């Protein structure tokens, strides 16, 4: 079989999607031929269903990321994305097109598939959105099959049967549309992570091996250790992922790759791919048992490559993080999300106190690992005043970088059900992320323009003295006067605070946005 993967990624989201590489490796091992159309490097991607959005204005330049140094490995493609896509399909002549998409990429993928639907090519869709809303995904006429959950077994079995001319109606994890009224829904099955081959990075253009980090560009690759998460945060899809596999497959979703295979993967990146940097794409890096963590550290000590992880402040213990620094941990991203302890516990499912957060992050600062802090504004039930408790908490955290994004109620996130029940969203709504449109929710007590305004000015409120807050408040809006004040504050912020943070040993530390856009959780995301 000739399989063409379609990855309709947002411009500039340089994180290489490991699931596509793993699926490609599995298919090649089974004897199939693979190619990829990846939109990441295209200069623009305008969709017929959405008017052009001035992203810089809608976001207010809220990330304030340091420009990375020039590198000819990362450069935009100026071609017409739709024309290039059609030409790719015509030239490659695939037997199967496999769309890999999170919810915010879904419409982009559909817009491309529409251009080749008349060619009669079989299509399959997998990823976060098809996994958590398969009934919605299968309704699109551009989609023939949906992969619900992990794709390695299902996709290989589908291609094997297609190649042999055998029926595939009973392949696990697949929903198959026979006609408008008849969809076959097969049960879930789980993948043994150690059965997977090494990721196939050759499917990607070499430019995709490079990613900006702290103002530089590194040859950077993803490493999978865990699938799933032990926590049950309501703004994340991991709890539903765990429940889905518990209910439908009678199994636990959280598991770990063996050290034998982890070692093989690490040396593959270091020696064969000439990696300069690695990132671990687990939901939370500290899903380890203590002894296993130290075993990992002993293994990684010989790798000698800087790496990035994400975890939670309550996982911080001095001895663990001191060991992380010793083996090369370069940056950490921490999820704080909200500054009110009770709201965090009752609404977000995060049972951690502000003191624990502050103490934990002060310990990381003491150890000397640079870190960023992630926050979310505009949760259902939140108010403008309550959001300022998140600002107040961040003022007590010695982070090298911080950000605030509006809450986005993707399917599969427990709080999406809350939003539907409150009438803030409908189940059928396909939501895009803040990248295009700012806050999705427009709540009576906290309108979207207020949410976007706080996200836009978040770093100002955290960094400037409170005597400047009245000016900052004036800059939250979209009027000409607000934009003028915002521009002046941004210039002042840049000169006084941006790139002026210090590590514990007194050396200047360039700040940078180190958040990876919607990190994948297992192969259920296919991206």
């Amino acid at each position: 079989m000739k399989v063409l993967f379609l990855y309709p990624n947002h411009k500039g989201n340089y994180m290489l999607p490991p699931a596509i590489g793993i699926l490609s490796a599995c298919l090649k091992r089974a004897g199939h031929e693979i190619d990829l159309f990846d939109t990441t490097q295209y200069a623009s991607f305008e969709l017929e269903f959405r008017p052009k959005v001035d992203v810089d204005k809608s976001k207010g330049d809220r990330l304030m990321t340091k420009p990375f140094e020039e590198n000819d490995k990362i450069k935009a493609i100026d071609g017409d994305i739709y024309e290039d896509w059609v030409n790719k399909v015509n030239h490659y002549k695939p037997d199967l097109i496999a769309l890999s998409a999170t919810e915010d990429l879904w419409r982009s993928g559909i817009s491309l598939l529409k251009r080749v639907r008349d060619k009669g090519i079989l299509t399959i869709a997998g990823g976060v959105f098809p996994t958590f809303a398969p009934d919605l995904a299968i309704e699109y006429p551009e989609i023939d099959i949906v992969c619900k959950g992990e794709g390695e077994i299902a996709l290989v079995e589908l291609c094997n049967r297609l190649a042999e001319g055998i029926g595939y109606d009973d392949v696990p994890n697949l929903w198959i549309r026979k006609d408008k009224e008849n969809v076959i829904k097969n049960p879930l099955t789980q993948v043994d992570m150690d059965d997977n081959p090494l990721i196939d990075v050759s499917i990607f253009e070499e430019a995709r091996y490079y990613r900006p980090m702290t103002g530089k560009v590194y040859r950077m690759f993803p490493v999978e250790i865990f699938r799933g998460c032990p926590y049950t945060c309501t703004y994340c899809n991991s709890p539903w992922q765990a429940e889905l596999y518990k209910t439908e497959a009678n199994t636990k979703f959280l598991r770990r790759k063996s050290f034998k295979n982890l070692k093989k993967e690490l040396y593959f990146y270091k020696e064969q791919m000439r990696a300069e940097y690695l990132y671990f794409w687990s939901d939370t890096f500290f899903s380890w048992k203590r002894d296993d963590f130290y075993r990992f550290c002993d293994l990684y000590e010989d790798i000698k490559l800087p790496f990035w992880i994400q975890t939670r402040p309550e996982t911080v213990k001095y001895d663990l993080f001191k060991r992380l620094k010793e083996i090369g941990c370069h940056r950490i991203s921490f999820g704080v999300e909200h500054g009110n302890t009770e709201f965090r516990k009752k609404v977000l499912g995060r049972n951690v106190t502000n003191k624990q957060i502050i103490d934990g992050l002060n310990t990381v600062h003491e150890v000397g690992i640079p870190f960023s802090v992630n926050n979310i504004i505009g949760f259902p039930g939140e108010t403008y005043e309550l959001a300022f408790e998140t600002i107040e908490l961040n003022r007590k955290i010695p982070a090298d970088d911080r950000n605030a994004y509006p809450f986005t109620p993707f399917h599969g996130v427990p709080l999406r059900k809350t939003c539907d029940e409150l009438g803030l969203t409908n189940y059928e709504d396909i939501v895009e992320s803040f990248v295009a449109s700012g806050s999705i929710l427009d709540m009576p007590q906290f309108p979207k323009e207020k949410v976007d305004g706080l996200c836009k000015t978040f770093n100002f409120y955290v960094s400037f003295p409170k005597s400047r807050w009245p000016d900052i408040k004036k800059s939250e809006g979209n009027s000409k006067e607000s934009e003028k004040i915002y521009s002046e504050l941004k210039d002042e912020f840049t000169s006084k605070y941006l790139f002026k943070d210090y590590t514990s040993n007194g050396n200047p530390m360039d700040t940078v946005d180190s958040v990876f856009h919607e990190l994948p959780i297992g192969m259920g995301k296919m991206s």
Side-chain angles (χ1 to χ4, degrees), residues 173-290:
N173 291 32
L174 298 188
W175 283 31
I176 303 157
R177 178 162 49 81
K178 308 301 288 186
D179 54 52
K180 288 185 178 181
E181 307 298 328
N182 183 19
V183 175
I184 297 173
K185 304 176 182 179
N186 290 303
L188 278 180
T189 189
Q190 191 175 77
V191 170
D192 183 340
M193 293 173 66
D194 287 324
D195 284 343
N196 287 338
L198 286 171
I199 183 174
D200 174 25
V201 293
S202 69
I203 192 175
F204 301 99
E205 296 288 337
E206 186 166 347
R208 297 290 274 112
Y209 301 164
Y210 294 86
R211 189 191 188 280
M213 178 67 81
T214 58
K216 297 180 181 180
V217 174
Y218 292 93
R219 190 175 173 91
M220 188 182 301
F221 296 95
V223 180
E224 180 187 28
I225 298 178
F226 300 99
R227 289 194 188 179
C229 181
Y231 299 102
T232 56
C233 306
T234 60
Y235 50 87
C236 176
N237 61 28
S238 284
W240 276 13
Q241 184 100 299
E243 183 62 26
L244 181 69
Y245 274 82
K246 178 182 178 181
T247 303
E248 298 190 21
N250 193 31
T251 186
K252 292 182 179 180
F253 190 75
L254 176 62
R255 67 265 201 213
R256 176 178 62 77
K257 182 180 296 181
S258 70
F259 282 107
K260 177 182 177 181
N261 283 320
L262 176 58
K263 180 178 180 179
K264 183 178 179 181
E265 184 174 353
L266 291 172
Y267 277 96
F268 165 73
Y269 283 134
K270 178 181 180 179
E271 295 177 352
Q272 296 187 41
M273 297 309 302
R274 308 186 314 281
E276 299 170 341
Y277 202 111
L278 298 175
Y279 60 89
F280 292 93
W281 56 292
S282 305
D283 277 16
T284 178
F285 183 78
F286 278 93
S287 296
W288 299 97
K289 295 178 181 178
R290 188 180 184 90

Side-chain angles (χ1 to χ4, degrees), residues 26-296:
C26 290
L27 287 167
K28 286 184 176 180
R29 181 175 62 179
H32 304 290
E33 183 180 334
I34 313 300
D35 207 342
L36 168 68
F37 188 82
D38 180 354
T39 68
T40 304
Q41 290 175 259
Y42 277 83
S44 64
F45 191 173
E46 301 303 334
L47 306 178
E48 62 266 17
F49 59 82
R50 187 182 75 215
K52 179 176 171 59
V53 177
D54 188 335
V55 174
D56 288 339
K57 289 185 179 179
S58 70
K59 288 171 55 177
D61 254 354
R62 72 169 69 89
L63 294 181
M64 302 175 190
T65 304
K66 178 182 176 181
F68 55 84
E69 65 186 20
E70 291 296 325
N71 188 301
D72 60 3
K73 296 296 184 183
I74 298 181
K75 52 187 177 182
I77 299 173
D78 293 325
D80 183 292
I81 193 169
Y82 291 106
E83 181 180 341
D84 288 354
W85 162 246
V86 173
N87 288 338
K88 179 78 168 185
V89 172
N90 287 338
H91 176 74
Y92 185 62
K93 294 180 173 57
D95 302 304
L96 177 71
I97 296 176
L99 168 64
S100 176
T102 50
E103 187 166 348
D104 56 333
L105 304 178
W106 180 255
R107 289 185 178 181
S108 305
I110 293 298
S111 71
L112 288 163
L113 290 179
K114 282 182 178 180
R115 304 300 177 98
V116 297
R117 188 58 180 166
D118 61 344
K119 301 182 185 299
I121 303 169
L122 190 69
T123 60
I124 181 172
V128 176
F129 177 63
T131 290
F132 293 110
D135 52 336
L136 298 182
I138 200 68
E139 288 183 356
Y140 283 77
E142 296 79 15
I143 304 299
D144 300 311
I145 306 170
V146 160
C147 179
K148 179 181 178 181
E150 297 173 309
E152 294 99 321
I153 295 173
L155 193 55
V156 170
E157 182 64 18
L158 171 65
C159 289
N160 287 346
R161 294 198 190 187
L162 286 169
E164 296 171 13
I166 301 174
Y168 53 84
D169 286 354
D170 61 340
V171 174
N173 291 32
L174 298 188
W175 283 31
I176 303 157
R177 178 162 49 81
K178 308 301 288 186
D179 54 52
K180 288 185 178 181
E181 307 298 328
N182 183 19
V183 175
I184 297 173
K185 304 176 182 179
N186 290 303
L188 278 180
T189 189
Q190 191 175 77
V191 170
D192 183 340
M193 293 173 66
D194 287 324
D195 284 343
N196 287 338
L198 286 171
I199 183 174
D200 174 25
V201 293
S202 69
I203 192 175
F204 301 99
E205 296 288 337
E206 186 166 347
R208 297 290 274 112
Y209 301 164
Y210 294 86
R211 189 191 188 280
M213 178 67 81
T214 58
K216 297 180 181 180
V217 174
Y218 292 93
R219 190 175 173 91
M220 188 182 301
F221 296 95
V223 180
E224 180 187 28
I225 298 178
F226 300 99
R227 289 194 188 179
C229 181
Y231 299 102
T232 56
C233 306
T234 60
Y235 50 87
C236 176
N237 61 28
S238 284
W240 276 13
Q241 184 100 299
E243 183 62 26
L244 181 69
Y245 274 82
K246 178 182 178 181
T247 303
E248 298 190 21
N250 193 31
T251 186
K252 292 182 179 180
F253 190 75
L254 176 62
R255 67 265 201 213
R256 176 178 62 77
K257 182 180 296 181
S258 70
F259 282 107
K260 177 182 177 181
N261 283 320
L262 176 58
K263 180 178 180 179
K264 183 178 179 181
E265 184 174 353
L266 291 172
Y267 277 96
F268 165 73
Y269 283 134
K270 178 181 180 179
E271 295 177 352
Q272 296 187 41
M273 297 309 302
R274 308 186 314 281
E276 299 170 341
Y277 202 111
L278 298 175
Y279 60 89
F280 292 93
W281 56 292
S282 305
D283 277 16
T284 178
F285 183 78
F286 278 93
S287 296
W288 299 97
K289 295 178 181 178
R290 188 180 184 90
D291 289 347
D292 284 346
F293 167 75
Y294 279 106
R295 184 177 174 186
F296 161 78

